[in-house]
Amino acid sequence: PRTGDRTVLADIAPGLDNCAFVGDRLFVSHITGALYEVAGGVARPIIESGFQWPMGIAVNAAGTVYVADGMFAYTIAPGKSRQAAGNLFGGNFPGFLRGIGISGADGWVVTTANGTAARWTPGSEPELLGHGFARLMGVAETPGGAVAFADYDTGRVMLAEKGEVRGLANGLDKPMGVAVAADGTVYVAESGAGRVSKI
């Protein structure tokens, strides 16, 4: 503080949230759940990162799992370890993720904590499908490319298609999960009623 000089002790991914010293040992926690010990310019993981708050999951035709984990997005290919697809601290990220679905070969459809639904390919600018909703949760793309998503607070399920959003269903009891069958039928998990409804 007296001189303004800085020394980099270690380079760790964005999301550091706390640090503590035990004698001369420095420990740093990360928002993904990881804990590092920093020594000699190296951050050695003591606890490997886990998921922060996985609220959405989808699987593509190749068996790759897509995970919406709040501030992070991950993929897990069969037989591989988890790979970061993007995070809130990087550019071109849609926002704090809640719901997630597959869109085409490597695209995602997502809902966020700020009430938006978007189509997103990691590394690219998200395409806004709808905004201004209360608490969006599940999302899925139809075979024709429309996107269905659920609003937990209002009990509605909407469909975004060709630049417009229209209602599919009202009066549902805390809708969360959304799935679309091959014939375009939309299924919704109503967490308040303990049932799956067909639209």
Side-chain angles (χ1 to χ4, degrees):
R2 291 184 181 135
T3 66
D5 291 343
R6 296 181 186 193
T7 302
V8 175
L9 301 179
D11 190 8
I12 305 173
L16 305 180
D17 54 17
N18 215 332
C19 65
F21 286 94
V22 177
D24 291 335
R25 299 171 71 193
L26 171 61
F27 297 89
V28 180
S29 61
H30 193 277
I31 200 162
T32 61
L35 178 64
Y36 299 91
E37 181 175 6
V38 176
V42 176
R44 179 180 65 87
I46 295 172
I47 299 172
E48 296 289 343
S49 62
F51 290 113
Q52 177 195 35
W53 192 7
M55 296 183 72
I57 189 168
V59 181
N60 71 13
T64 298
V65 177
Y66 290 53
V67 181
D69 190 29
M71 290 190 274
F72 301 90
Y74 298 104
T75 59
I76 307 167
K80 305 282 184 181
S81 60
R82 178 179 69 174
Q83 297 294 311
N87 66 70
L88 196 60
F89 306 105
N92 299 327
F93 196 70
F96 189 98
L97 301 180
R98 284 196 173 136
I100 194 161
I102 306 298
S103 178
D106 57 359
W108 307 48
V109 287
V110 299
T111 57
T112 70
N114 62 351
T116 64
R119 184 175 278 112
W120 174 61
T121 300
S124 300
E125 187 71 25
E127 173 195 352
L128 183 65
L129 301 173
H131 69 310
F133 298 99
R135 190 170 3 172
L136 295 184
M137 300 303 263
V139 60
E141 188 174 78
T142 70
V147 177
F149 53 94
D151 191 327
Y152 182 88
D153 287 350
T154 65
R156 299 181 345 177
V157 173
M158 280 73 61
L159 187 74
E161 186 173 27
K162 298 177 182 171
E164 295 185 6
V165 177
R166 63 180 173 87
L168 278 182
N170 293 309
L172 300 174
D173 194 351
K174 300 178 182 168
M176 291 188 73
V178 174
V180 179
D183 66 357
T185 302
V186 176
Y187 294 88
V188 181
E190 293 182 73
S191 64
R195 67 184 174 214
V196 175
S197 295
K198 178 179 176 181
I199 301 174

